[in-house]
Amino acid sequence: MSSPLALDVADLSKKYGDRMALSHANFEVPMGSICGFVGPNGSGKTTTIRMLLGLISPTTGSGHVLGESITEPEKYLPNVGAMIEGPAFYPALTGAQNLTVLAKLGGFDTNGIQGLLDLVDLGDRGNSKYKTYSLGMKQRLGIAAALLPKPKLLVLDEPTNGLDPAGIQEIRNLLRKLADVGTTVFVSSHLLSEIEMISDHLVMLRLGKVIFSGKTSELLAKQQPVIVAKPENRNDLDKLVKIAEGAGHSAKIIDESVHVTGAADFSAKLNKAAFEAGIVLESLTPVRASLEDTFFEMTGE
Amino acid sequence: MWNVLRAELTKLRRPSLSLSTFAAVTFVTGLVTSLLFLLVDSPEGNSDRGVRIGREVLALPTGVSLSFSNAAGLLGIVALCIFAAQTAQEYTYGTLRNLLVRQPSRMKILFGKLGSMKLFAIAMVTLSAVLAVSLSYLFAGIKNIPTDAWSTPDARSAVLRTFINVLIATIGYGIFGMILGLLFRSPISAISIGVIWNLIIEGLLSAFVTNIDRYFPGQLLSIVAIGGNDRISYQYALFTSYAFLLGGLAIVALLFKKRDVAN
């Protein structure tokens, strides 16, 4: 039996005038997963998120969030936390007052607000006005607001914008912790290395179309690993290319190294063949394709 | 809707808004009351558009509430600005999307907001009434205007009637501001258009075109505040102004319900 789904969309499209912001999107996100939502600017990520949250209505298609249709957001939004397109709060209110407004609106307990501020490291700045916050602090307040309903599904649009490396790591750890207790996290980000580190599922968009949807590991496994061989003597670069091609692998010279496409176990054979041909290798490194490489290859960006 | 009301009151209670609003109400009421009493003997008049309200009129039971009803137009402009700003700022701050994620029923958001702003308007009008009556006694003493009739049951019922009428007018102006806020989605545009329309366009056209004020909501609301006049009855002013406002509110409510929230 397949695992229950936190999100599923079928043939979902949104058209603004003549422009198709999202075209016939289909994807599923299993409950309890951390799903990265990636794509270049203008690829339709925020449009999709807005439709999932009932802020805009689809032109065609359907979708379900926590098992409920996106045409009835009142049925699932009490269990969804969201930060869309960055934090947005009232500048003249303090961080705590801004959270109080949203807690009262959603009918949530306001007693947990200090705990949430502590969780996002704003415990001692909760009584400062929002307009005095740095970008990173605003971002953290946005995450605290998203956590107000103790959500089953957390939808975050670029949550690490404006955060320093330590802040990014804290958010990464927080999302992991939330996933560990069963919260589904749907996170869009342009920091692909971050997404690669935390997400077990991935939805990739390009020009309003879903070009991949599935497990991150499956996507990365599809990519051929690369062996980077750097000879001590630059004159040996061509010889190395011939050795690799002779063994049935494609190879090309990039900078002062030879990049050979092939399984990691070819490294040992290449090392041996180079030694026998009198080539001294300065380094020999098997490199797994990163999500960023894969992303650029797939999106053609 | 109760949750929306509670949330909105948290925003309206912030000192920067409530104190500045109450300061504006105090200024407006003080100004109108002082002009009414201190210029009572001035040949230039002491009320709206050079109208002269004499000592004998101020000494009547209705005299105690005259300055309060005269201040209604300006109180209405204050309400218009607040209702417009509180509605339109959700678009400019981008906070509307947060509100709709926490309360997906757009009608609950809209009418919860309206309810909270009505409560705010009640506080404004109550402050204005207390100030107007207190200052009327103070200035009547200074100008030797008799106040014996002000403590009669007729005077008390005049104050109550004026309070209700000013409140209806103030809320009416506020609804006009809310309509503009939803329509223009920018506090500056909504407030400037609202103020220019009420203070300049309606005023100018009414001065030059006979009887056109019978069809202007702002002019009609100021007539509601004073309980009607010899040309336009209270009932006509009340029903026509609120017909315009409720019609406008229904249209923008429909737009608000259907429109994508894309900012």
Side-chain angles (χ1 to χ4, degrees):
Chain A
M1 197 177 111
S2 60
S3 58
L5 298 173
L7 293 173
D8 74 286
V9 304
D11 209 27
L12 196 66
S13 299
K14 180 68 184 179
K15 200 174 180 182
Y16 291 109
D18 292 336
R19 189 177 66 85
M20 206 69 172
L22 187 72
S23 177
H24 306 287
N26 291 281
F27 64 85
E28 293 178 345
V29 176
M31 203 78 93
S33 64
I34 297 185
C35 179
F37 192 39
V38 296
N41 288 340
S43 58
K45 299 190 297 292
T46 304
T47 299
T48 308
I49 288 174
R50 284 179 186 280
M51 281 193 277
L52 294 175
L53 297 173
L55 297 174
I56 60 178
S57 44
T59 306
T60 60
S62 63
H64 292 86
V65 177
L66 301 173
E68 304 288 351
S69 168
I70 58 171
T71 57
E72 296 175 299
E74 64 280 1
K75 286 191 177 170
Y76 58 82
L77 282 180
N79 293 312
V80 175
M83 183 175 76
I84 320 136
E85 259 192 319
F89 293 99
Y90 306 102
L93 297 185
T94 66
Q97 286 171 332
N98 268 295
L99 293 187
T100 303
V101 167
L102 294 175
K104 284 180 177 173
L105 191 61
F108 307 127
D109 184 10
T110 52
N111 292 328
I113 286 174
Q114 187 56 45
L116 280 177
L117 288 168
D118 290 337
L119 183 70
V120 296
D121 206 19
L122 283 176
D124 56 343
R125 290 296 305 275
N127 290 323
S128 301
K129 286 190 174 174
Y130 176 72
K131 63 184 170 191
T132 65
Y133 282 13
S134 68
L135 180 59
M137 291 163 75
K138 289 175 178 175
Q139 201 74 12
R140 291 205 294 270
L141 187 67
I143 292 167
L147 294 173
L148 268 172
K150 297 186 177 74
K152 287 181 183 166
L153 169 67
L154 188 60
V155 180
L156 300 174
D157 196 3
E158 303 283 0
T160 53
N161 262 0
L163 297 185
D164 56 22
I168 291 174
Q169 192 177 24
E170 281 170 26
I171 297 303
R172 190 196 307 149
N173 293 340
L174 175 64
L175 297 185
R176 266 277 158 238
K177 265 190 231 167
L178 289 167
D180 288 344
V181 295
T183 308
T184 308
V185 181
F186 187 65
V187 55
S188 89
S189 176
H190 64 275
L191 294 177
L192 296 174
S193 54
E194 283 303 315
I195 291 287
E196 186 176 3
M197 263 189 266
I198 59 170
S199 68
D200 36 39
H201 273 72
L202 204 64
V203 176
M204 200 181 275
L205 286 182
R206 182 175 186 263
L207 297 173
K209 290 183 177 166
V210 175
I211 55 173
F212 176 80
S213 162
K215 288 187 174 174
T216 312
S217 55
E218 281 173 8
L219 176 71
L220 294 174
K222 284 180 188 169
Q223 297 297 307
Q224 287 268 51
V226 172
I227 299 159
V228 180
K230 188 174 183 184
E232 205 172 55
N233 186 344
R234 284 187 61 189
N235 296 329
D236 292 333
L237 285 167
D238 289 332
K239 278 195 221 170
L240 259 181
V241 169
K242 280 181 189 160
I243 291 170
E245 287 176 344
H249 296 275
S250 68
K252 57 186 170 186
I253 298 167
I254 297 174
D255 296 329
E256 293 184 355
S257 306
V258 174
H259 288 233
V260 182
T261 307
D265 60 2
F266 180 61
S267 306
K269 289 175 189 163
L270 182 64
N271 192 19
K272 191 177 172 211
F275 178 75
E276 285 168 359
I279 301 168
V280 178
L281 293 178
E282 193 178 294
S283 64
L284 183 66
T285 320
V287 179
R288 188 176 65 88
S290 68
L291 180 59
E292 196 163 81
D293 299 328
T294 311
F295 175 81
F296 287 131
E297 193 180 314
M298 292 182 75
T299 61
E301 294 291 311
Chain B
M1 203 160 79
W2 175 240
N3 286 343
V4 183
L5 195 80
R6 288 174 64 224
E8 289 297 321
L9 285 175
T10 306
K11 287 190 262 173
L12 289 169
R13 274 204 309 260
R14 70 182 188 269
S16 56
L17 176 71
S18 53
L19 293 181
S20 58
T21 304
F22 295 145
V25 169
T26 304
F27 173 76
V28 163
T29 311
L31 183 72
V32 172
T33 311
S34 59
L35 289 177
L36 181 69
F37 282 88
L38 299 179
L39 297 180
V40 68
D41 300 319
S42 166
E44 304 294 323
N46 58 348
S47 183
D48 197 23
R49 290 178 199 148
V51 173
R52 192 164 168 213
I53 296 173
R55 289 170 172 273
E56 64 289 351
V57 177
L58 289 175
L60 294 172
T62 50
V64 69
S65 56
L66 263 177
S67 68
F68 177 42
S69 61
N70 277 4
L74 292 174
L75 283 180
I77 295 298
V78 175
L80 181 150
C81 295
I82 289 166
F83 280 43
Q86 289 298 309
T87 309
Q89 72 176 12
E90 304 293 0
Y91 290 95
T92 48
Y93 291 153
T95 43
L96 182 60
R97 57 181 187 252
N98 290 349
L99 302 187
L100 292 175
V101 167
R102 291 284 55 96
Q103 175 49 265
S105 166
R106 297 187 184 194
M107 289 302 103
K108 282 184 184 171
I109 294 270
L110 191 64
F111 289 103
K113 246 182 192 306
L114 184 58
S116 69
M117 288 190 282
K118 280 182 183 172
L119 291 177
F120 196 72
I122 291 172
M124 274 172 57
V125 173
T126 305
L127 174 67
S128 179
V130 170
L131 277 171
V133 171
S134 309
L135 289 173
S136 293
Y137 272 101
L138 178 72
F139 291 131
I142 292 170
K143 298 299 284 186
N144 293 320
I145 294 167
T147 58
D148 301 336
W150 291 5
S151 47
T152 60
D154 281 353
R156 281 194 289 274
S157 89
V159 169
L160 181 65
R161 205 168 45 244
T162 306
F163 180 86
I164 292 167
N165 290 339
V166 171
L167 184 61
I168 291 170
T170 304
I171 289 172
Y173 281 108
I175 292 172
F176 187 55
M178 193 176 196
I179 291 169
L180 293 174
L182 285 167
L183 213 53
F184 293 102
R185 292 178 277 179
S186 149
I188 293 172
S189 307
I191 290 171
S192 44
I193 289 168
V195 171
I196 289 169
W197 175 263
N198 273 291
L199 290 185
I200 300 174
I201 298 175
E202 281 197 8
L204 275 178
L205 288 173
S206 301
F208 290 110
V209 183
T210 313
N211 276 338
I212 200 166
D213 54 351
R214 294 178 68 83
Y215 308 102
F216 283 152
Q219 298 291 309
L220 292 172
L221 286 171
S222 60
I223 290 166
V224 168
I226 58 170
N229 61 22
D230 49 355
R231 283 193 312 110
I232 300 173
S233 73
Y234 175 77
Q235 284 82 358
Y236 174 85
L238 178 65
F239 287 114
T240 311
S241 60
Y242 266 77
F244 279 132
L245 293 171
L246 296 179
L249 190 62
I251 292 168
V252 292
L254 192 68
L255 278 176
F256 182 65
K257 188 175 165 63
K258 298 286 176 193
R259 200 156 49 185
D260 283 346
V261 178
N263 67 331

